[in-house]
Amino acid sequence: MFLAQLAEVERFAPVVRYLLRSLQAGGELAAALIEQMIADAGEYLAAGEAAGVVRPSRDRAARARYLAYQATGGALLWFTTQGATAGPESFRTLFRHYVQEITLPALELFAQGLLVDRSMLDDYLMYVPDPPESAAADAAR
């Protein structure tokens, strides 16, 4: 299914363009959209954990938020510098190129990891509560 969607990525271009414009505009709608994306990411990650294809997290909510911010932030940066002035057809081509450019490094990073050892994580965990408190818990206080 993943490869089939990748092969037809241009069909998502109009929705992606609208989404990116909405996020650029900011405001309550953009904030609600991001929160919904974070909630969706949390559900996908939980399903992946249950299926045994995603590693469990010390803080599921924080991981979902991080991934949503990373994905949307990267896409917004690309859109602002590459796609914002493109017409609909040329945006489709640019979007295909963007997806091709990020797919291999993203899959490699998620499947193989980046760091060769966990020393940075271990050092960090020495200075945070166990388990670390999520941003949602911090915001509630």
Side-chain angles (χ1 to χ4, degrees):
M1 179 152 160
F2 169 72
L3 293 178
Q5 288 181 344
L6 193 58
E8 298 180 17
V9 74
E10 290 92 347
R11 73 185 178 110
F12 299 107
V15 172
V16 169
R17 188 173 189 213
Y18 181 79
L19 171 79
L20 293 170
R21 286 268 186 228
S22 297
L23 291 171
Q24 273 186 326
E28 288 180 27
L29 178 62
L33 182 58
I34 287 291
E35 290 304 316
Q36 184 60 55
M37 292 172 74
I38 292 165
D40 289 345
E43 290 177 17
Y44 296 139
L45 290 166
E49 282 185 35
V53 296
V54 172
R55 294 180 197 270
S57 174
R58 286 173 179 80
D59 187 338
R60 288 179 176 172
R63 177 176 61 180
R65 183 169 296 280
Y66 171 77
L67 289 173
Y69 284 170
Q70 284 295 107
T72 55
L76 278 168
L77 179 61
W78 166 79
F79 181 68
T80 301
T81 62
Q82 306 293 316
T85 60
E89 282 307 308
S90 107
F91 180 79
R92 290 167 59 90
T93 302
L94 288 169
F95 183 58
R96 152 106 14 231
H97 178 72
Y98 170 70
V99 170
Q100 288 173 334
E101 190 174 66
I102 68 165
T103 299
L104 175 63
L107 289 174
E108 182 180 74
L109 180 65
F110 289 123
Q112 297 177 330
L114 177 66
L115 303 175
V116 296
D117 67 39
R118 52 175 285 147
S119 59
M120 287 176 63
L121 174 61
D122 291 340
D123 288 349
Y124 178 74
L125 291 174
M126 294 296 293
Y127 295 98
V128 295
D130 188 24
E133 295 181 23
S134 70
D138 291 341
R141 280 192 253 146

